[in-house]
Amino acid sequence: MPDIPVGTQIFDIAFHPSDSIVFTGLLTGHIKAFSYDEQGKHEEKFSIRPSKRSCRALAISPDGNRLWAAGKAKTLNTIDVTRGELLQAWPKAHEAPINCLKRLTANLLASGDDDGVIKLWDPRKSDAIRSYTHHFDFISAFCYLDDARQLVSTSGDGTLSVIDVRAKKTEPLAQSEDQEDELLSVVAIKQGQKLVVGTQLGILSIFNRRNGWGDCVDRIPGHPHSIDTLCNLPSSYPSAQSTILTGSSDGMLRAVELFPTKLLGVVADHGEFPIECIAIDRDGEGHWVGSAGHEEVLKLTDLKEVFEDEDEDSDKDEDGSEGRSDAADGSDSESDELEDDKTGLSVSKPKAQGSDSENEKDEEFKEEEEEEDVKEAGEAETDDDDDENGSVRDLGEQDADTSDDDAVFTEKKRKRKKDKDLLQALKRPKARNELVTDRSFFADL
């Protein structure tokens, strides 16, 4: 799909849960909505400017009728999506600029500001429900664990915290140790049992819920720059529980598989511009992934073209590997290959007569053959080689007749194992160290 130009830097994007509409929060304070279709066409639906200051964060309701926006103006705004109008505003919702928003349930919203303050909101009420102040630096990202009703937050102070949204306490349920790095993004994998955190140094830190939240259990390096944003794959993909999309400040949107760790490829390239945000349409279950950096355009990439092409390539590789294995099986036998120096064609020489078991028997008696048997076998080998040369010439002549340029095949022969008479081979040879004596010598004893 062609890029959607917006005219200025994009801070955050949000997709409609059921319609093909994407919302962008811009540096100028504008909130623009665009519709798109499967053919790559797009159209601007509406543009609204609740504040002259930048819009940093967006969140949309489950039904897609309301959009929440916040930013540097410290105000939390509610926008009617169907009409493109401002419905409600909470002025001075925070004492510092709001950096991120997260819709938890239909009637619960979380916001975090640059001073590390987290607030929970009920859109039906005029004030915040609770406020948490255990972080002392900016809140970078949220992740909601629906099965436990827990809100996970990452902060620039290097810690991760877990809040029980049902508890009335203003203290977190748990908080990690200082990771000695800024934590910039977070996403859940393995059905919410593990969390992946992106850091300023380009390391993915893995937290395991069963081991507690005190420290990460694994650290996965590999990204050359900071990992500013993370996103899950749609659940329809087989590897969705262990594969994530990473947006880095080097401008690369990557698909990374974890456990085992493997870079699947680059989904989108923003050049020299850092990627600030990524999201997938249809409430994370669609096939369009939107990514935005500092280049003033919204890039939409079709995941089907990325992952389904890889699946087809893997299937082709499997077919090719099967073909190679069949060829390897054929090479175990005594068939040779003839190659044309001009056309590159190949012809297989027919297999030599005699089974592998016969050859093994021949090997057993090879060292114990008498000179007469060796001489007879040599004559048989000469006859077989003549027959072999004749068969090879027949194949070469047949292929040369069928080719357009009458290519001359180069015969590459290998010394074949001789085919011997089993009756001769099964005769007990005379041992090398056998002593021949006269029976009368033992009679006198």
Side-chain angles (χ1 to χ4, degrees):
M1 172 181 285
D3 298 340
I4 301 178
V6 297
T8 186
Q9 180 181 342
I10 302 174
F11 273 96
D12 198 9
I13 58 178
F15 283 95
H16 195 280
S18 57
D19 298 335
S20 298
I21 301 176
V22 59
F23 307 92
T24 59
L26 307 180
L27 175 65
T28 58
H30 287 87
I31 300 171
K32 293 184 178 181
F34 299 89
S35 63
Y36 57 92
D37 56 17
E38 297 297 328
Q39 287 72 31
K41 299 179 181 179
H42 57 85
E43 180 183 0
E44 182 175 339
K45 301 294 290 184
F46 67 82
S47 177
I48 185 174
R49 193 181 188 186
S51 174
K52 294 182 179 180
R53 298 192 173 186
S54 61
C55 177
R56 297 183 178 180
L58 297 174
I60 194 165
S61 61
D63 56 6
N65 293 329
R66 293 186 179 184
L67 179 71
W68 293 284
K72 194 173 182 180
K74 310 174 188 178
T75 301
L76 182 60
N77 301 302
T78 304
I79 300 170
D80 187 355
V81 172
T82 57
R83 295 181 297 175
E85 298 178 355
L86 182 64
L87 288 180
Q88 187 180 6
W90 286 278
K92 297 182 180 179
H94 284 255
E95 295 181 359
I98 302 174
N99 194 49
C100 60
L101 289 176
K102 180 70 175 180
R103 190 260 302 167
L104 309 182
T105 63
N107 296 313
L108 191 60
L109 188 70
S111 61
D113 63 20
D114 286 350
D115 290 341
V117 177
I118 300 173
K119 289 187 177 184
L120 298 181
W121 302 84
D122 187 343
R124 299 168 297 183
K125 299 181 180 180
S126 59
D127 200 0
I129 300 175
R130 282 183 295 276
S131 179
Y132 304 87
T133 60
H134 52 277
H135 289 291
F136 61 86
D137 206 344
F138 68 94
I139 304 298
S140 57
F142 287 131
C143 179
Y144 184 61
L145 303 177
D146 188 38
D147 59 342
R149 299 294 190 271
Q150 294 176 352
L151 175 65
V152 180
S153 61
T154 56
S155 173
D157 60 10
T159 63
L160 174 146
S161 66
V162 182
I163 297 173
D164 188 354
V165 298
R166 297 170 297 182
K168 296 182 179 180
K169 298 180 180 179
T170 58
E171 296 295 330
L173 182 65
Q175 188 170 7
S176 71
E177 299 177 357
D178 187 2
Q179 302 298 302
E180 299 180 356
D181 193 7
E182 292 184 0
L183 308 185
L184 303 179
S185 52
V186 60
V187 73
I189 62 172
K190 299 290 184 180
Q191 297 179 351
Q193 296 303 316
K194 294 184 179 181
L195 271 74
V196 184
V197 178
T199 64
Q200 180 69 30
L201 296 179
I203 296 175
L204 292 172
S205 299
I206 310 298
F207 285 82
N208 194 332
R209 292 173 61 180
R210 296 181 179 179
N211 295 351
W213 303 101
D215 199 0
C216 64
V217 297
D218 198 1
R219 293 165 63 87
I220 302 175
H223 288 76
H225 296 82
S226 63
I227 306 171
D228 298 333
T229 179
L230 296 173
C231 182
N232 291 105
L233 278 183
S235 59
S236 58
Y237 291 95
S239 60
Q241 293 298 328
S242 59
T243 304
I244 59 175
L245 301 178
T246 65
S248 178
S249 59
D250 63 352
M252 296 289 184
L253 176 59
R254 299 175 173 88
V256 180
E257 183 178 356
L258 305 175
F259 311 115
T261 304
K262 181 172 61 175
L263 175 63
L264 299 181
V266 177
V267 178
D269 186 1
H270 287 255
E272 300 177 355
F273 300 98
I275 298 177
E276 295 288 342
C277 53
I278 54 178
I280 297 178
D281 66 341
R282 308 289 175 172
D283 201 16
E285 296 297 330
H287 63 90
W288 290 105
V289 55
S291 56
H294 293 178
E295 69 271 43
E296 301 181 358
V297 297
L298 173 63
K299 186 182 293 292
L300 294 180
T301 307
D302 192 354
L303 290 176
K304 291 182 179 179
E305 297 179 356
V306 178
F307 288 95
E308 291 184 1
D309 289 346
E310 290 183 356
D311 294 340
E312 292 178 358
D313 294 340
S314 62
D315 293 339
K316 291 181 180 178
D317 294 340
E318 291 177 358
D319 296 338
S321 62
E322 291 176 358
R324 287 190 295 272
S325 64
D326 295 338
D329 295 338
S331 63
D332 291 340
S333 63
E334 298 181 5
S335 63
D336 295 334
E337 185 175 295
L338 304 179
E339 296 180 357
D340 188 346
D341 296 337
K342 295 181 179 181
T343 62
L345 299 176
S346 61
V347 179
S348 296
K349 192 168 57 178
K351 298 181 179 179
Q353 299 178 353
S355 61
D356 294 339
S357 61
E358 296 174 358
N359 295 333
E360 293 177 358
K361 292 179 180 180
D362 294 343
E363 292 293 330
E364 294 179 359
F365 297 100
K366 183 176 181 180
E367 295 182 356
E368 300 179 356
E369 292 178 346
E370 295 180 351
E371 294 180 358
E372 295 179 356
D373 295 338
V374 172
K375 184 177 180 180
E376 294 176 0
E379 295 175 356
E381 180 180 0
T382 303
D383 296 337
D384 291 339
D385 289 339
D386 294 338
D387 295 339
E388 179 188 357
N389 294 335
S391 62
V392 171
R393 283 194 297 270
D394 294 340
L395 288 174
E397 292 173 1
Q398 182 179 358
D399 292 332
D401 294 337
T402 56
S403 61
D404 296 335
D405 55 352
D406 296 333
V408 179
F409 289 83
T410 303
E411 299 182 2
K412 296 183 179 180
K413 295 188 299 180
R414 172 174 70 182
K415 186 175 181 180
R416 298 173 59 253
K417 295 180 181 179
K418 55 192 176 181
D419 297 335
K420 299 183 301 182
D421 188 2
L422 290 179
L423 296 178
Q424 295 292 335
L426 292 176
K427 289 182 180 181
R428 183 181 181 276
K430 185 184 298 183
R432 294 183 179 179
N433 297 328
E434 184 178 358
L435 180 62
V436 181
T437 59
D438 188 4
R439 294 183 181 181
S440 62
F441 174 77
F442 296 97
D444 295 339
L445 295 178

